[in-house]
Amino acid sequence: MAKQIDPCTLVLFGASGNLSRIKLMPGLFRLDAAGRLADDMKILSVGRSELSRDQWQAEIKGMLDKKFKDGYDQKVYDRFIARNHYHSNPPTDADSFQKMAAKLGDESIFPQNLAYFLSVRPTDFAVIVEQLSGVGLVDESKYWRRVLIEKPFGTDLPSAQALQAELTKYLKESQIYRIDHYLGKSAVQNIMLTRFANTMFEPLWNSEHIDHIQITNNETLGVGDRTTFYDATGALRDMFQSHLLQTLALVAMEKPADLTPDSIRAEKIKLLQSIRPVDTKNLNKQAFRAQYAAGRVCVGDGHGENVTGYLEELKRDGIESSHTETYAAVKLFIDNPRWKGVPFYVRTAKRMHEGNTAISIRFKKAPMELVAGQHQNWLTINIQPRECIKMEIESKIPGLDVATRTLSIDAPQRQQGDETIDSYETLMLNLMEGDPSQYLHISEVEAQWRLVDPIVKAWAEDKTPLHQYTAGNRDPQESSVIFESQDQFWRYSIELGGDKH
Ligand code: BG6
């Protein structure tokens, strides 16, 4: 059931950036079309360029035309465009925040509950909050004021804590919404429901029955034009630190007492804090990194495309050498009774043979091997591109002999006619509703950096050239060094037959 949303003004910093053009503006439009925006809700876009309101509205039209190629409802468009205003704050204008406060102060136009979306460079997060505070725009004595901080929240534990210290000079924890867009994906939100709304899974969800769990994000894309950002970041910080550890937390946490934000976050925090720190002395057995070399990847329509290697891409942009990983696989253990001894293999890579994000759970061997070659059961929760749950079971092959084969029970989460909602849409709605359950608490961010920092540091100190993998291929063979037992192997997408069993 739709929650009641207070009328509010969404103030969008970085409004002319890519995220805003591709996801945020179209997302807000769709929320409007779905009747999920309060009648008086307004959007104030903030950008560096000097633009009139008319010019900005024309830009928005361009964004919508590009996104919704099949057209859109004119009535919704008229309503949406009328919500939109623009404020230019060039860095050279010392009074721009004063001017913004004066503009927002017009109550006949702007509802006074304010939600800020900071889609800006991480170095600007604290500066903007300080400025907003200076002109009274985060004061909650009469209305609520919330600040959404884009990722990354820090680049390591000390910088995350420093950012937190800066923000909390002006904001209460309840005002800070740290985003991880994976938590807005419907298949990620389905993890908790799958586990706790079905009695058949919970009794098996532990070390007694589970052999190991793989959490995978494979992309066919390379780093594109983000070479400078990516080379300073790497796969571990870009994907593993938040998106994949958050996914792991949802897979492994205990059942929350209820579905309130506090209860859900409390269980995730407990889980993240019980992941065993990686033993950096034996890092080579626990983590593997690599870089993609030139190769051929599959593009959307099934055709192949020749692509250059990571180091060549860097050279093109003036970066001569690099020890940054585009492939990272890490083995983790969780020190609690439920998961004693169960390895969690978490991997992410660019330029793989397929783009797929999934949680694959392998169950232990059946107590009796009735037939030679009997396979272990797998349960896969596929996040994207296809949202589904798949169970693999052993079954007799009809006939005179006793032989088994693996059958797959495939339950698509998405049925015909279901809405396709982008993760940012859900999360922007939650921000306006004041529901932080799909946003990160600072303790989660800290626990994640605590885990990642030692690996980043050890890898930075190790100057041996990185293993190169051919773009468009599967995991490098050498990555299997992190497996606990020889019969473990990487699972790929959900189709049967492509994998070793
Ligand atoms: C971003 C990373 O946070 O997530 C990108 O910076 C990555 O490198 C992206 O490609 C993946 O998100 P999604 O939603 O496409 O799986």
Side-chain angles (χ1 to χ4, degrees):
M1 208 177 53
K3 288 186 200 149
Q4 179 70 31
I5 305 187
D6 303 324
C8 67
T9 302
L10 183 76
V11 183
L12 185 49
F13 283 86
S16 54
N18 257 343
L19 183 69
S20 159
R21 287 173 183 280
I22 297 168
K23 302 263 184 182
L24 306 183
M25 264 315 160
L28 287 164
F29 178 85
R30 283 161 44 116
L31 286 174
D32 199 352
R36 303 301 283 266
L37 300 182
D39 288 346
D40 297 340
M41 187 267 184
K42 295 284 176 333
I43 302 164
L44 179 68
S45 293
V46 182
R48 288 161 178 245
S49 328
E50 296 277 358
L51 293 177
S52 67
R53 185 176 176 209
D54 285 349
Q55 284 172 316
W56 180 242
Q57 287 177 330
E59 289 248 346
I60 296 175
K61 182 167 186 320
M63 298 175 204
L64 301 179
D65 289 346
K66 206 162 173 189
K67 182 79 177 188
F68 306 114
K69 296 227 162 61
D70 294 339
Y72 41 75
D73 185 326
Q74 187 62 34
K75 255 185 35 218
V76 177
Y77 173 77
D78 293 342
R79 186 171 71 214
F80 182 71
I81 214 72
R83 295 180 189 276
N84 275 279
H85 294 257
Y86 186 79
H87 175 72
S88 88
N89 74 336
T92 45
D93 182 357
D95 297 330
S96 84
F97 279 82
Q98 284 288 3
K99 291 178 191 159
M100 189 187 341
K103 182 175 267 175
L104 281 171
D106 184 346
E107 294 188 27
S108 66
I109 302 177
F110 296 105
Q112 297 298 298
N113 294 308
L114 302 175
Y116 302 99
F117 194 128
L118 305 193
S119 176
V120 294
R121 283 181 311 198
T123 43
D124 290 342
F125 294 152
V127 182
I128 291 176
V129 170
E130 183 187 355
Q131 304 260 31
L132 290 172
S133 166
V135 294
L137 283 176
V138 293
D139 178 86
E140 283 204 306
S141 42
K142 279 172 71 188
Y143 302 98
W144 57 252
R145 269 81 206 262
R146 300 173 189 144
V147 183
L148 183 153
I149 310 278
E150 248 302 327
K151 135 187 156 107
F153 197 92
T155 51
D156 55 14
L157 181 62
S159 59
Q161 288 174 330
L163 174 58
Q164 172 72 359
E166 277 304 305
L167 296 178
T168 49
K169 281 186 196 160
Y170 313 104
L171 302 171
K172 299 186 288 266
E173 173 64 25
S174 60
Q175 291 178 272
I176 309 175
Y177 284 65
R178 300 173 197 82
I179 199 168
D180 176 330
H181 77 277
Y182 265 51
L183 296 183
K185 290 183 190 280
S186 95
V188 171
Q189 296 187 342
N190 194 31
I191 297 170
M192 211 166 61
L193 281 163
T194 302
R195 289 188 56 195
F196 301 127
N198 297 295
T199 46
M200 62 193 280
F201 292 124
E202 183 56 12
L204 301 178
W205 217 259
N206 53 50
S207 60
E208 198 182 326
H209 299 288
I210 290 180
D211 173 77
H212 75 272
I213 295 184
Q214 298 184 18
I215 296 178
T216 303
N217 163 266
N218 282 337
E219 295 179 271
T220 51
L221 294 174
V223 300
D225 53 13
R226 299 196 303 161
T227 44
T228 311
F229 158 79
Y230 197 88
D231 203 50
T233 306
L236 208 56
R237 286 193 280 201
D238 186 43
M239 283 299 302
F240 175 94
Q241 186 269 342
S242 194
H243 302 328
L244 298 186
L245 286 179
Q246 281 292 315
T247 308
L248 184 152
L250 290 167
V251 170
M253 73 185 194
E254 297 301 317
K255 185 175 179 180
D258 48 46
L259 289 187
T260 59
D262 284 352
S263 303
I264 297 174
R265 285 162 142 202
E267 289 306 337
K268 281 202 289 157
I269 293 168
K270 240 190 282 169
L271 190 282
L272 289 165
Q273 290 175 343
S274 43
I275 300 177
R276 190 186 307 161
V278 171
D279 171 14
T280 45
K281 288 205 193 70
N282 287 304
L283 193 58
N284 287 345
K285 295 217 172 66
Q286 216 174 325
F288 182 83
R289 62 175 169 163
Q291 286 172 336
Y292 61 80
R296 194 170 170 79
V297 291
C298 207
V299 283
D301 56 2
H303 290 97
E305 183 183 294
N306 291 334
V307 294
T308 44
Y310 179 64
L311 292 176
E312 292 146 78
E313 286 173 335
L314 294 184
K315 275 212 180 86
R316 181 198 64 203
D317 291 348
I319 304 169
E320 283 308 314
S321 67
S322 168
H323 276 79
T324 301
E325 74 289 352
T326 60
Y327 176 105
V330 182
K331 173 171 59 187
L332 297 171
F333 289 96
I334 298 169
D335 282 330
N336 68 15
R338 184 193 282 265
W339 296 115
K340 197 164 184 290
V342 178
F344 285 73
Y345 300 111
V346 185
R347 74 181 151 146
T348 177
K350 300 238 182 250
R351 288 283 188 236
M352 293 294 279
H353 70 293
E354 65 174 6
N356 200 59
T357 303
I359 299 143
S360 303
I361 300 171
R362 186 167 86 163
F363 289 88
K364 290 198 164 157
K365 286 201 169 89
M368 276 170 72
E369 184 155 341
L370 297 172
V371 183
Q374 195 176 299
H375 298 140
Q376 284 159 258
N377 301 125
W378 284 87
L379 175 74
T380 297
I381 302 177
N382 215 69
I383 308 290
Q384 58 191 24
R386 199 152 83 77
E387 298 153 306
C388 72
I389 295 183
K390 203 185 76 155
M391 235 187 304
E392 285 174 13
I393 58 168
E394 293 299 279
S395 172
K396 181 181 175 337
I397 302 173
L400 296 174
D401 299 320
V402 181
T404 62
R405 67 181 161 205
T406 305
L407 295 185
S408 168
I409 302 173
D410 189 330
Q413 186 195 350
R414 183 161 296 283
Q415 313 255 316
Q416 214 180 359
D418 282 347
E419 287 176 275
T420 308
I421 296 173
D422 186 77
S423 51
Y424 279 96
E425 269 167 73
T426 312
L427 293 170
M428 285 192 291
L429 190 63
N430 293 163
L431 171 72
M432 292 184 275
E433 290 167 342
D435 176 355
S437 44
Q438 310 301 339
Y439 284 87
L440 272 56
H441 189 272
I442 184 62
S443 307
E444 296 175 72
V445 177
E446 287 178 340
Q448 290 167 186
W449 282 126
R450 247 181 224 114
L451 203 66
V452 166
D453 282 356
I455 312 177
V456 171
K457 184 165 175 280
W459 277 354
E461 283 164 4
D462 178 357
K463 296 293 180 210
T464 43
L466 260 65
H467 181 90
Q468 303 285 307
Y469 60 98
T470 307
N473 275 8
R474 296 185 172 206
D475 297 64
Q477 181 58 39
E478 292 77 354
S479 64
S480 52
V481 65
I482 70 169
F483 289 129
E484 280 291 284
S485 79
Q486 285 202 337
D487 73 342
Q488 293 174 344
F489 53 89
W490 293 122
R491 272 306 298 241
Y492 296 108
S493 66
I494 47 182
E495 312 314 329
L496 258 185
D499 291 327
K500 184 165 68 162
H501 269 83

